[in-house]
Amino acid sequence: MSLALPFASFITHFWNDQLVAHDRQGVFLVLVGFIGSFAFIRMSTRMIRAEVSWWPGNVESESGLHVHHLVFGIIAMMASGTLGFAAFGHSPLTEICAFFFGIGAGLTIDEFALWVYLEDVYWAEEGRSSIDATVIAAALIGLIVVGVNPFEIELVHLADTLPWTLGLTQVSV
């Protein structure tokens, strides 16, 4: 028996029972697009650097101007974000826009070090900050997918823990 049918069944149940039932399919697709585009662009830049003959290479003008993939990420986020708002929550346009927004975010955050250092440090030690930013962003998006909401604070628990937290702060000061 093939593994395709049980896998397809698992995906269907996950999509319907975990995502659609809790209205999280858009955020999940942002995460999928984000991780997928980040992984693809990292592989692509490694292949360009290794000068693999069959790989398309850099986007560069005739005058030698290199267009960073950050630019395409920003354009993708602007277009999909605008269309996503215009969709007014209508499926499947909202989900498609969420996926493309994730792709744009992945392309953009891969060049996080360029934002911070305002120079091309992709392969330098400072370029590691792009990997760190990606891991943090993916973890935060993942937390939202599983249902963590930092804006929901239960006042009952807050009332129980606030005096203890304030006491701990006073002791440490």
Side-chain angles (χ1 to χ4, degrees):
M1 184 169 146
S2 170
L3 290 176
L5 191 58
F7 182 70
S9 178
F10 168 77
I11 295 297
T12 302
H13 287 300
F14 173 73
W15 182 265
N16 291 329
D17 299 342
Q18 300 300 318
L19 299 176
V20 174
H22 301 288
D23 203 25
R24 294 191 188 120
Q25 62 271 28
V27 179
F28 176 74
L29 290 170
V30 168
L31 181 63
V32 169
F34 180 82
I35 292 171
S37 66
F38 176 79
F40 172 79
I41 204 63
R42 277 281 153 170
M43 178 204 64
S44 176
T45 55
R46 289 201 178 276
M47 293 180 79
I48 292 168
R49 190 169 192 219
E51 297 179 3
V52 174
S53 62
W54 54 270
W55 195 250
N58 288 325
V59 177
E60 200 167 292
S61 71
E62 289 180 16
S63 64
L65 176 67
H66 171 70
V67 180
H68 289 267
H69 51 270
L70 162 84
V71 174
F72 300 106
I74 293 170
I75 292 168
M77 286 191 300
M78 289 172 56
S80 61
T82 301
L83 290 173
F85 280 118
F88 296 112
H90 291 97
S91 190
L93 185 57
T94 301
E95 289 83 2
I96 293 167
C97 289
F99 180 70
F100 280 102
F101 189 89
I103 289 173
L107 293 173
T108 303
I109 201 127
D110 183 55
E111 300 224 61
F112 179 77
L114 182 65
W115 308 353
V116 174
Y117 296 100
L118 298 177
E119 61 183 281
D120 194 357
V121 292
Y122 196 83
W123 297 110
E125 188 174 328
E126 294 89 355
R128 167 67 192 199
S129 62
S130 294
I131 302 286
D132 298 339
T134 301
V135 169
I136 291 167
L140 291 174
I141 297 169
L143 286 172
I144 294 169
V145 169
V146 298
V148 174
N149 187 347
F151 302 109
E152 283 184 3
I153 299 173
E154 293 185 27
L155 295 177
V156 174
H157 296 298
L158 184 62
D160 292 340
T161 59
L162 192 59
W164 183 82
T165 305
L166 291 174
L168 183 62
T169 306
Q170 290 176 347
V171 170
S172 64
V173 173

